[in-house]
Amino acid sequence: MAEFPTQARAVVIGGGIVGTSTAYHLAKLGWSDTVLIERYKLTSGTTFHAAGLVGQLRANANITQLLGESVRLYTTLEQETGLATGWKQNGGLRLACNEERWTEVKRQATTARSFGLEMHLLSPREARDLWPLMDVSDVVGAAFLPTDGQANPSDITQSLAKGARNHGARIFEDTLVTSIEVKSGRVVAVVTSRGRIACEAVIVCAGQWSRELGRSIGVNIPLVSVEHQYMVTERIEGVTSNLPTLRDPDRLTYYKEEVGGLVMGGYEPNPIPWATRGFPENFNFQLLNSNWDHFEPLMTLAIGRIPALETAGVRQLINGPESFTPDGNFIIGEAPELRGCFVGAGFNAYGIAAGGGAGKVLAEWVAGGEAPCDLWPVDIRRFGPNHSDTGWVRKRTLEAYAKHYTMSWPSEEHASGRPLRRSPLFDRLIAQRACMGEKLGWERPNWFAAEGEEPKDRYTYNRPNWFGAVAREHQAVRERVGVFDQTSFAKFTVTGRDAEAALSWICAANVARAPGSLIYTQMLNRRGGIECDLTVGRLAADSYYIVTGTGFATHDRDWIERNIPAGLDARVSDVTSAYAVLSVMGPASRQVLQQLSEEDLSNAAFPFGRVKRIHIAGAPVLALRITYVGELGWELHIPTEFATTVHDALMEAGRAFGIANAGYRAIETLRLEKGYRAWGSDIGPDTTPLEAGLGWAVKFNTGAPFLGREALEAQRRAPLKKRLAGFVVDDPDVILLGRETLYRDGKRVGWLSSAGFGHTIGKPIGYGYVRNPDGVDDTYLQSGQYELEVATVRVPCRIALAPLYDPKMERIKA
Ligand SMILES: Cc1cc2nc3c(=O)[nH]c(=O)nc-3n(C[C@H](O)[C@H](O)[C@H](O)COP(=O)(O)OP(=O)(O)OC[C@H]3O[C@@H](n4cnc5c(N)ncnc54)[C@H](O)[C@@H]3O)c2cc1C
């Protein structure tokens, strides 16, 4: 056996598929001084008992591509290493048994088309031709993805391990990581049962044990273990080795062929958490007791689909624990709490499907120091303080598990673990008929019901029950005045002698402005991609106030902190809990506020793009003159204890002007009309301000250096290969939800990054990037004929390069 090292560049903890894939890719990238530590044997955690289905389609393009990377790797790995992987590309079949599910499947087919993944819709009979054992009497339709497949999880892992070794990585089994050493906020070493290894980077791929390991060094990895079962049958007449994998979500089950029999598993609506009081020792290559009672309802559903199961011999009911997360997405990236500590864990029963691609991007993240592409849905920085409590994480995770195969409705909210974080206005807004949604634990009003309406979401792929309420709120803001409780905004201060120098480096816009200035800016990565999109207010020479989206609290703070140049005196503090936020928006907002304040709120005294300390109804308020809804308005940041007083006063003073509470769904329709970009959908790390039409906010003309400038300058010298544009459909009954395929002159050029309905213009609106390798300019954009594919049906649309509403900003800057 090789000598045990005392030093390595990177140490990967865990020899499941994810750790092994990460070590393989790191070594391939030239990090041959990578060591993988496994406490028992490779695959002995969860990997050895996975069923091995490999599906690819996800709601996000990059995650779909990541899963496609797995497929590409599994297709060629045997050739590379000489070790078989059991990879079989038999395709994947997905059934729909009611009209709503059929709509979902059709929308998925369109999403697949948008992302360049082959997916065909089949009739029930065609589906049965592929899977002759099925009873299709209740099937409305099916979808087939020819490039999906299945593999042997242990074999893939061994093959990856061989590939990793071939590229110089060293793997040590029977070695336990007992602790991780930290110095000055950085990982410095891993301590094992065989000695200490000093290292630059640690990559925690310890499966369900990752949460404990993370906790020991202050890193939050929100996952919990849940029991997951599948049955393996004896041979069944008619089960052939070329059978596609099968997912039957309406019956909560999945299937694959295995040595002439079937593997059948599923997602119970009442999942059973495991190891709630800690893990048993030496849980290696172990399974849990089969739980037939719990499996029986799935079995009954499965027999209805595959009658042959009724008489098939059962070889085994495998019950294995797997790590699941509160949103059903896995967790990768560098931990915001600790430099040099990377995580790849929480794979929600698709770690085999994701392992190849996840290991690749994680290795690139480690080697490159930044995420290689937009990985927001799986980024470890998507979590917040609500995710630090294991009890809360478990509740939400069990809900996510139970919903694995249920319909994933547009705008669907979670129900568990609520309410947790409440604005001071929560009770008032509930009393005023708010229907709440939740983000990062915060309760936020989505919409307000009228008398006689129930403030409760009823989900559908058609027009939802809140459509009318949102239209009313939208109209109130456009014509009169609306109040939004945006207390959940993440808020930071950046203070210190060098605050200006630090933020000038990190922000693409010019923030070296006089106190009182309020600046909309992006923060860019080295590729020029947009990492943050936020508002920066200068309060004093040494003090800035930053406001960003609720969900971006951890991410944006991490981005700012890690990019403050060394040696500068600039500190970031999170002041989210200190301020409630009421946004007062609409043409009558000034009149309403002026009644409650002695300060002059005229345009001359308080113009757009300024921040001021004023008083409203006796409360000291930081007022930001800005808007995300396209109307005259102010964001009032109010010390929390004054918030209810201010809200009461606003409603009272606003009565004569027809003031109305409004919610987040109205914000969305209002911003769509105005063309404001949303980070996480329209803009993100893979899109630059130039591509997003935000070049006007970049300080090109100052000559000042800033992070991402070189990449942007280079991009400016060549034609842009993609550009964001607005699209409007004239038929008001078309329902756009995002991800619809975009065609220019009959050719697929992109998809909608976000979409909805514009209640002022009375039409569906979407935004999407038009891609063309030869360049995209105004002439190119305007010269095309556009169509959108909506749930497999093409509909004509028109391009809009200016905002669809108030293109000249006249209403805002009044
Ligand atoms: C019943 C079942 C069916 C499944 N079916 C599928 C499927 O069809 N398709 C699919 O894609 N996925 C499936 N999965 C999910 C898949 O098995 C997992 O997502 C995947 O194996 C996770 O891999 P991992 O590397 O993250 O974790 P693991 O395989 O658990 O690896 C983690 C490793 O870390 C080691 N370790 C932990 N702590 C330490 C320490 N302190 N020191 C050293 N080593 C340590 C452990 O020993 C373990 O080997 C299924 C899971 C279950 C339970």
Side-chain angles (χ1 to χ4, degrees):
M1 183 178 283
E3 203 178 310
F4 198 73
T6 55
Q7 200 157 353
R9 197 157 182 209
V11 176
V12 178
I13 305 174
I17 190 166
V18 177
T20 315
S21 171
T22 306
Y24 166 85
H25 284 103
L26 268 172
K28 256 190 128 171
L29 284 172
W31 281 48
S32 53
D33 189 12
T34 290
V35 169
L36 185 150
I37 303 290
E38 164 56 47
R39 64 176 189 179
Y40 190 58
K41 304 288 179 202
L42 294 180
T43 76
S44 63
T46 300
T47 297
F48 82 95
H49 55 67
L53 281 79
V54 176
Q56 297 169 82
L57 182 62
R58 295 266 138 185
N60 174 277
N62 281 5
I63 307 306
T64 302
Q65 205 174 346
L66 180 154
L67 292 160
E69 282 295 331
S70 295
V71 166
R72 276 186 282 284
L73 178 63
Y74 303 160
T75 312
T76 56
L77 194 61
E78 178 173 352
Q79 232 173 2
E80 182 187 327
T81 66
L83 288 188
T85 59
W87 172 247
K88 270 202 309 194
Q89 196 165 304
N90 288 353
L93 198 57
R94 177 174 273 263
L95 306 179
C97 298
N98 55 61
E99 283 307 324
E100 291 274 32
R101 179 73 77 176
W102 185 225
T103 303
E104 182 184 84
V105 167
K106 285 191 286 189
R107 287 204 175 252
Q108 285 168 339
T110 291
T111 299
R113 184 131 42 244
S114 292
F115 300 167
L117 188 67
E118 207 181 329
M119 181 163 170
H120 308 285
L121 293 182
L122 306 181
S123 68
R125 180 186 287 245
E126 288 168 323
R128 203 190 44 207
D129 288 346
L130 287 173
W131 243 90
L133 291 175
M134 278 198 298
D135 178 334
V136 290
S137 52
D138 63 341
V139 175
V140 176
F144 182 62
L145 286 107
T147 56
D148 276 2
Q150 65 185 63
N152 182 321
S154 296
D155 290 351
I156 295 182
T157 308
Q158 295 295 349
S159 197
L160 284 167
K162 182 156 184 217
R165 288 193 186 100
N166 288 347
H167 287 96
R170 285 169 294 168
I171 295 178
F172 294 90
E173 297 182 313
D174 299 307
T175 308
L176 177 73
V177 171
T178 52
S179 62
I180 298 169
E181 270 182 32
V182 173
K183 207 170 164 188
S184 310
R186 270 207 77 85
V187 159
V188 290
V190 168
V191 181
T192 80
S193 51
R194 295 175 65 191
R196 176 183 186 273
I197 311 174
C199 59
E200 261 175 56
V202 166
I203 304 105
V204 180
C205 300
Q208 58 189 341
W209 296 273
S210 302
R211 182 159 179 77
E212 291 295 300
L213 210 50
R215 196 200 296 274
S216 69
I217 44 173
V219 169
N220 185 29
I221 307 174
L223 56 82
V224 291
S225 303
V226 183
E227 296 187 12
H228 187 63
Q229 299 199 95
Y230 65 82
M231 180 183 83
V232 189
T233 74
E234 304 285 359
R235 282 180 182 280
I236 298 177
E237 180 76 28
V239 172
T240 51
S241 70
N242 62 349
L243 216 53
T245 59
L246 172 66
R247 290 177 181 79
D248 188 1
D250 294 311
R251 289 174 180 267
L252 309 177
T253 45
Y254 61 79
Y255 307 80
K256 77 161 211 195
E257 180 273 342
E258 194 167 286
V259 285
L262 288 179
V263 159
M264 184 279 283
Y267 290 84
E268 309 87 347
N270 52 345
I272 303 177
W274 186 68
T276 51
R277 293 177 195 281
F279 296 100
E281 265 192 48
N282 302 321
F283 192 83
N284 310 310
F285 281 135
Q286 284 192 44
L287 294 170
L288 308 176
N289 291 333
S290 307
N291 187 341
W292 279 106
D293 287 347
H294 200 236
F295 198 67
E296 198 185 316
L298 292 182
M299 187 68 188
T300 307
L301 288 168
I303 289 171
R305 176 69 61 226
I306 319 283
L309 282 176
E310 197 157 18
T311 50
V314 175
R315 281 222 318 254
Q316 210 180 353
L317 178 63
I318 300 232
N319 186 358
E322 158 72 332
S323 37
F324 287 84
T325 64
D327 60 6
N329 287 328
F330 54 88
I331 306 170
I332 59 172
E334 187 173 8
E337 302 94 338
L338 185 61
R339 298 288 176 260
C341 178
F342 294 82
V343 175
F347 276 83
N348 296 280
Y350 67 103
I352 310 308
K360 180 170 187 283
V361 293
L362 186 50
E364 286 167 356
W365 198 326
V366 174
E370 252 174 43
C373 60
D374 184 350
L375 293 167
W376 177 239
V378 295
D379 191 315
I380 192 167
R381 293 166 296 180
R382 71 188 187 273
F383 300 112
N386 51 317
H387 296 103
S388 58
D389 176 59
T390 306
W392 191 91
V393 169
R394 186 171 296 114
K395 258 189 232 164
R396 181 54 61 83
T397 301
L398 292 177
E399 182 188 359
Y401 179 107
K403 284 181 171 169
H404 185 87
Y405 274 153
T406 61
M407 294 286 299
S408 67
W409 298 110
S411 306
E412 189 176 357
E413 294 283 347
H414 288 104
S416 58
R418 296 179 54 184
L420 183 66
R421 302 174 86 181
R422 280 180 261 192
S423 137
L425 298 165
F426 178 83
D427 292 334
R428 263 183 178 62
L429 298 185
I430 290 281
Q432 292 168 22
R433 312 186 62 72
C435 179
M436 292 284 173
E438 183 257 4
K439 190 158 239 176
L440 222 66
W442 282 101
E443 292 295 318
R444 316 188 311 167
N446 272 343
W447 55 280
F448 290 82
E451 288 299 329
E453 259 175 2
E454 192 189 5
K456 188 170 182 242
D457 287 342
R458 303 214 179 278
Y459 300 119
T460 172
Y461 271 99
N462 296 314
R463 209 150 251 190
N465 66 319
W466 59 82
F467 188 82
V470 171
R472 287 195 301 270
E473 294 163 28
H474 182 115
Q475 193 182 9
V477 174
R478 286 276 182 260
E479 294 176 6
R480 308 187 308 273
V481 54
V483 181
F484 300 92
D485 179 6
Q486 297 193 274
T487 299
S488 64
F489 266 146
K491 307 145 209 131
F492 312 121
T493 57
V494 179
T495 52
R497 203 176 49 244
D498 302 318
E500 179 188 300
L503 286 177
S504 291
W505 167 245
I506 303 170
C507 296
N510 181 13
V511 295
R513 295 177 191 267
S517 303
L518 187 65
I519 305 120
Y520 168 58
T521 186
Q522 286 77 48
M523 296 177 171
L524 310 180
N525 57 35
R526 280 176 305 201
R527 292 172 280 127
I530 301 171
E531 291 286 342
C532 313
D533 177 72
L534 39 73
T535 310
V536 176
R538 185 157 204 178
L539 302 184
D542 60 353
S543 170
Y544 285 86
Y545 185 74
I546 294 184
V547 186
T548 188
T550 310
F552 315 139
T554 306
H555 174 275
D556 287 8
R557 180 176 183 177
D558 177 68
W559 184 261
I560 297 167
E561 282 187 329
R562 69 172 50 240
N563 286 298
I564 293 175
L568 291 194
D569 175 37
R571 290 170 304 281
V572 184
S573 304
D574 188 326
V575 294
T576 300
S577 305
Y579 297 98
V581 179
L582 290 175
S583 299
V584 186
M585 298 284 154
S589 56
R590 180 178 284 127
Q591 287 153 286
V592 173
L593 287 170
Q594 195 64 80
Q595 289 184 60
L596 301 171
S597 182
E598 290 190 357
E599 276 90 355
D600 182 359
L601 300 180
S602 68
N603 196 43
F606 198 156
F608 185 74
R610 303 292 295 172
V611 53
K612 271 191 182 192
R613 293 188 192 282
I614 61 172
H615 285 83
I616 297 286
V621 161
L622 194 61
L624 283 59
R625 185 147 171 226
I626 192 164
T627 180
Y628 192 56
V629 296
E631 295 297 338
L632 171 71
W634 282 260
E635 259 177 32
L636 308 177
H637 291 239
I638 310 161
T640 40
E641 71 272 29
F642 293 96
T644 50
T645 304
V646 174
H647 189 260
D648 287 351
L650 282 170
M651 296 318 264
E652 181 59 34
R655 191 172 303 145
F657 298 90
I659 200 165
N661 283 312
Y664 274 83
R665 297 211 175 119
I667 294 179
E668 180 63 9
T669 72
L670 290 157
R671 76 99 193 161
L672 282 169
E673 279 182 344
K674 189 65 196 153
Y676 292 129
R677 279 65 172 133
W679 195 88
S681 51
D682 304 322
I683 53 176
D686 291 348
T687 52
T688 70
L690 296 173
E691 294 161 343
L694 296 171
W696 56 268
V698 178
K699 57 183 171 218
F700 285 120
N701 53 5
T702 67
F706 62 88
L707 185 52
R709 175 162 201 146
E710 282 171 23
L712 280 197
E713 295 283 7
Q715 192 178 46
R716 271 219 292 187
R717 290 193 287 272
L720 291 171
K721 295 192 170 37
K722 65 176 181 198
R723 263 185 59 187
L724 189 70
F727 297 91
V728 63
V729 176
D730 286 324
D731 178 352
D733 293 328
V734 168
I735 294 179
L736 299 181
L737 299 171
R739 299 190 293 276
E740 289 81 3
T741 319
L742 180 60
Y743 293 88
R744 179 185 177 278
D745 294 341
K747 200 172 147 227
R748 181 166 61 89
V749 289
W751 63 89
L752 294 189
S753 48
S754 67
F757 191 84
H759 289 280
T760 308
I761 66 166
K763 288 178 181 159
I765 302 171
Y767 289 85
Y769 286 87
V770 176
R771 293 164 166 82
N772 179 24
D774 298 327
V776 182
D777 57 15
D778 279 3
T779 315
Y780 180 85
L781 286 172
Q782 278 159 340
S783 60
Q785 293 289 319
Y786 292 91
E787 286 169 302
L788 287 169
E789 184 183 307
V790 183
T792 73
V793 177
R794 290 222 199 165
V795 297
C797 66
R798 289 179 289 115
I799 193 164
L801 296 186
L804 290 153
Y805 171 79
D806 184 29
K808 293 199 175 127
M809 305 267 290
E810 281 163 352
R811 295 170 70 90
I812 299 166
K813 298 207 165 166

